[in-house]
Amino acid sequence: MKKCILFDLDGTLTDSGAGIIHCGQLVLEHYGLPIPEKKDMRWMVGPPLRVSFPRLQIPEEKTEEAIEIYRYHYERTGIFENEPYPGIADLLQKLQDDGHRLFVATSKPEYMALEVLNRFDLTKYFEKVCGCQRDGVRDKKADVIAYLMQYVQPGEEVVMVGDTVFDVQGANEHKIPTVVVSWGYGVEQDMLDAGAVAVTHTMEELYQFLNK
């Protein structure tokens, strides 16, 4: 059966961790806060910044300011510390050729997501790219999915593809199954505990699962 497939971006389509973590460290440096090692900040890839920054001990009243500082750095350098996972373009091409409808559902600001996808010539595979807005509208993955559901026709099968519990939890709110990938930034068992229906370890495994 042809499906509507909602892809997460960071950690699923592209490996953007280096830029996200680096810019997170620059925000911490700005506020004179302790800066963890990069390996201890991998969890930053996936959740909205409004979720991440409290965990980094940034005061609540500084959250919006910290987001602007982060975006200032990310738009200039962090966005380029990024690359598609090997084989992702071939996967998307095959799924498109098979007649599936492809979408992007990301917590990254929509304009940034489009810039990343355009940079790597991936935009052409997707009917719609949806992310959050600068003012925090659609900040949560469930809100992004809710927006995209207007493009789904009654009776169409929908599946989410992601790499963190945030993808699984967001899809759960809409009773959408999530298949997760192991090459991203989530913990496999955490994602299974959250309700992921499968973990795939290669592009071919993901392709075969989506064509069931």
Side-chain angles (χ1 to χ4, degrees):
M1 178 182 287
K2 302 301 184 281
K3 299 179 176 69
C4 292
I5 305 172
L6 314 181
F7 281 90
D8 172 54
L9 176 57
D10 295 324
T12 302
L13 296 175
T14 69
D15 186 358
S16 54
I20 290 171
I21 292 168
H22 180 215
C23 292
Q25 290 179 323
L26 290 173
V27 172
L28 293 174
E29 182 181 359
H30 175 86
Y31 289 110
L33 294 169
I35 301 176
E37 293 185 23
K38 290 182 178 180
K39 65 181 178 63
D40 296 324
M41 294 179 67
R42 285 176 55 85
W43 58 266
M44 271 197 72
V45 185
L49 293 174
R50 290 177 179 84
V51 173
S52 298
F53 283 164
R55 185 171 170 180
L56 291 170
Q57 308 305 313
I58 293 174
E60 182 179 354
E61 67 273 13
K62 297 290 186 181
T63 298
E64 298 306 314
E65 178 185 75
I67 288 173
E68 290 305 311
I69 294 169
Y70 174 93
R71 288 178 178 168
Y72 173 86
H73 292 296
Y74 193 80
E75 289 173 7
R76 286 157 179 79
T77 59
I79 198 169
F80 303 115
E81 298 176 75
N82 194 352
E83 60 183 357
Y85 286 104
I88 199 69
D90 290 341
L91 170 72
L92 296 172
Q93 183 67 66
K94 289 196 296 183
L95 291 171
Q96 190 179 68
D97 290 344
D98 290 340
H100 299 294
R101 302 177 63 202
L102 309 182
F103 302 85
V104 171
T106 177
S107 295
K108 184 188 286 308
E110 195 169 291
Y111 72 95
M112 288 187 185
L114 284 166
E115 186 170 348
V116 170
L117 293 167
N118 288 336
R119 174 179 173 82
F120 298 123
D121 196 30
L122 297 178
T123 312
K124 62 188 178 185
Y125 297 112
F126 301 102
E127 287 189 34
K128 179 69 178 176
V129 175
C130 184
C132 76
Q133 302 298 297
R134 274 192 174 274
D135 59 3
V137 172
R138 297 200 300 265
D139 200 34
K140 297 180 180 178
K141 185 57 64 83
D143 299 332
V144 174
I145 294 173
Y147 179 85
L148 284 174
M149 289 303 290
Q150 68 181 301
Y151 296 96
V152 175
Q153 302 301 316
E156 286 189 295
E157 184 178 354
V158 185
V159 62
M160 179 78 206
V161 180
D163 74 303
T164 70
V165 294
F166 295 94
D167 300 310
V168 182
Q169 292 167 347
N172 284 348
E173 291 194 31
H174 299 278
K175 297 181 170 57
I176 294 171
T178 303
V179 54
V180 294
V181 300
S182 65
W183 53 78
Y185 288 81
V187 177
E188 288 186 26
Q189 192 58 54
D190 289 348
M191 295 186 285
L192 289 169
D193 291 345
V197 297
V199 179
T200 55
H201 301 89
T202 67
M203 295 293 169
E204 183 60 25
E205 278 187 26
L206 179 57
Y207 177 71
Q208 293 299 331
F209 183 91
L210 293 172
N211 269 310
K212 285 183 177 180

